[in-house]
Amino acid sequence: SSSSSSSALDGMAEAIQKGAHLPSLDDRIKVALECPCVKPLRDTSCRDEFDAALTCFMKADEETRASDCADKFVELHQCMVKHSEEFQEFAEELVKHRNVEGPAQV
């Protein structure tokens, strides 16, 4: 299912917004990586892959980031699949966190 990876991306979007007001890109990346919204992702075996994907995404030009960072996101996704047992919990956390009603779509 893609439900856990799409919610992971919501966390990333929130993280990127967090530091958007900062003039320095390095500071924006630092704030994004420190955002509690991505902590569950960074507390997994895929921390390095996640950091690389987020950093790439934030450094890339908006026009080209999808292609520039595709490899990093593929690596992140492969890592999440490889360690899916860790992300089971992550997906459940997100569901609880959001107070979604009804069964989670897995």
Side-chain angles (χ1 to χ4, degrees):
S1 93
S2 64
S3 62
S4 63
S5 53
S6 66
S7 40
L9 292 177
D10 293 345
M12 280 181 75
E14 186 182 330
I16 290 165
Q17 286 308 308
K18 274 266 187 288
H21 60 285
L22 296 167
S24 146
L25 180 61
D26 287 338
D27 287 345
R28 290 203 292 266
I29 290 169
K30 188 168 176 282
V31 167
L33 291 173
E34 286 169 0
C35 178
C37 56
V38 294
K39 188 178 184 326
L41 264 174
R42 298 187 79 223
D43 287 346
T44 67
S45 304
C46 301
R47 177 186 181 130
D48 294 345
E49 288 81 354
F50 174 76
D51 288 4
L54 182 63
T55 301
C56 178
F57 187 80
M58 291 181 74
K59 285 187 167 172
D61 284 335
E62 267 179 59
E63 313 288 297
T64 57
R65 61 171 47 142
S67 53
D68 288 354
C69 302
D71 295 352
K72 301 269 186 292
F73 280 95
V74 168
E75 282 165 28
L76 174 60
H77 189 256
Q78 285 170 342
C79 182
M80 289 172 82
V81 170
K82 193 167 107 190
H83 299 279
S84 58
E85 71 291 342
E86 292 180 52
F87 292 93
Q88 215 60 48
E89 228 168 275
F90 174 67
E92 286 162 20
E93 268 311 296
L94 277 172
V95 169
K96 273 194 292 221
H97 185 65
R98 295 195 167 183
N99 301 321
V100 174
E101 289 175 22
Q105 300 300 309
V106 177

